[in-house]
Amino acid sequence: MRKGDNMNVERLKSGKYRIRQMKDGKKYSVTIDHKPTKYEAEQLIEEISSIGNYSLKSACDLYISSKSNVLSPSSIRVYKQIVSQIDPTFAKKELTDINTQNLQFEINRFASTHSAKSTHDFSGFIMSVLNFYGRIIKSPKLPQNERKIPYIPTEEEIKMILEEIKGTE
């Protein structure tokens, strides 16, 4: 570690630990479930600083291939479809440049043409990829699920149905 590259480990209200370090003029942050040793903290920061070269699209593709033997073919197909729906400009962003604000804009763009469920799936996949590569960011705001109102037939429709089935088992 170079002089001036101070590492900070702090305990969060949630009980998790956040490791922060300024390295080569960039800020890096990792959140984990347990108090890290100094060596572990250095390794985590080193790992996260090396992923900065991955674009979101590359990270998504690597994520899918890393899970190819444990996911069903339909899940892989859905994940690839989600990757194809990411805005090309956003897909080119390096993982370290993705934050809650620009992710929220991408989710908002996607939600304008897709259902709430599709938007939740889209966001969940991107968050999983970011978490897989150690980029822990706050979840974006998602649209409310649409409440399905069941169809209730009218009295006339019920009478028609009963007339149709009259005399049958």
Side-chain angles (χ1 to χ4, degrees):
M1 191 169 8
R2 274 191 248 134
K3 191 173 184 176
D5 288 346
N6 293 332
M7 185 176 299
N8 179 20
V9 178
E10 63 183 317
R11 185 165 190 203
L12 304 174
K13 289 179 182 178
S14 64
K16 294 184 179 192
Y17 288 84
R18 179 172 41 212
I19 307 161
R20 290 196 244 191
Q21 183 179 9
M22 185 78 136
K23 186 175 179 183
D24 300 327
K26 284 191 171 185
K27 293 179 185 178
Y28 296 98
S29 176
V30 177
T31 304
I32 59 174
D33 293 331
H34 61 281
K35 186 172 183 176
T37 63
K38 184 178 180 188
Y39 176 76
E40 183 182 16
E42 288 172 353
Q43 289 299 109
L44 288 167
I45 291 295
E46 183 61 36
E47 188 177 305
I48 196 164
S49 66
S50 68
I51 65 161
N53 298 331
Y54 285 141
S55 68
L56 177 61
K57 178 161 182 2
S58 298
C60 289
D61 293 339
L62 287 168
Y63 175 82
I64 293 168
S65 67
S66 74
K67 305 241 180 210
S68 64
N69 292 329
V70 294
L71 292 174
S72 70
S74 65
S75 293
I76 292 171
R77 193 171 41 256
V78 168
Y79 286 172
K80 286 181 178 179
Q81 183 180 11
I82 289 172
V83 172
S84 72
Q85 294 172 328
I86 298 172
D87 180 68
T89 305
F90 190 71
K92 289 177 187 173
K93 281 191 177 293
E94 288 185 1
L95 293 183
T96 53
D97 293 336
I98 296 175
N99 58 37
T100 304
Q101 291 81 18
N102 55 30
L103 178 58
Q104 184 66 62
F105 282 111
E106 176 62 11
I107 298 300
N108 193 48
R109 180 203 63 79
F110 185 84
S112 67
T113 56
H114 293 82
S115 71
K117 183 185 180 325
S118 294
T119 304
H120 281 256
D121 294 346
F122 182 80
S123 173
F125 174 73
I126 292 175
M127 291 297 291
S128 293
V129 170
L130 293 173
N131 289 338
F132 184 76
Y133 287 97
R135 290 286 296 137
I136 311 297
I137 62 173
K138 186 178 174 193
S139 295
K141 179 87 172 125
L142 298 172
Q144 298 271 329
N145 284 326
E146 297 125 16
R147 269 192 112 194
K148 304 261 179 177
I149 300 172
Y151 176 72
I152 301 172
T154 63
E155 196 173 319
E156 291 174 4
E157 290 172 325
I158 293 172
K159 285 179 183 175
M160 282 180 15
I161 292 169
L162 291 174
E163 273 303 311
E164 280 295 316
I165 61 171
K166 195 179 216 179
T168 64
E169 290 181 27

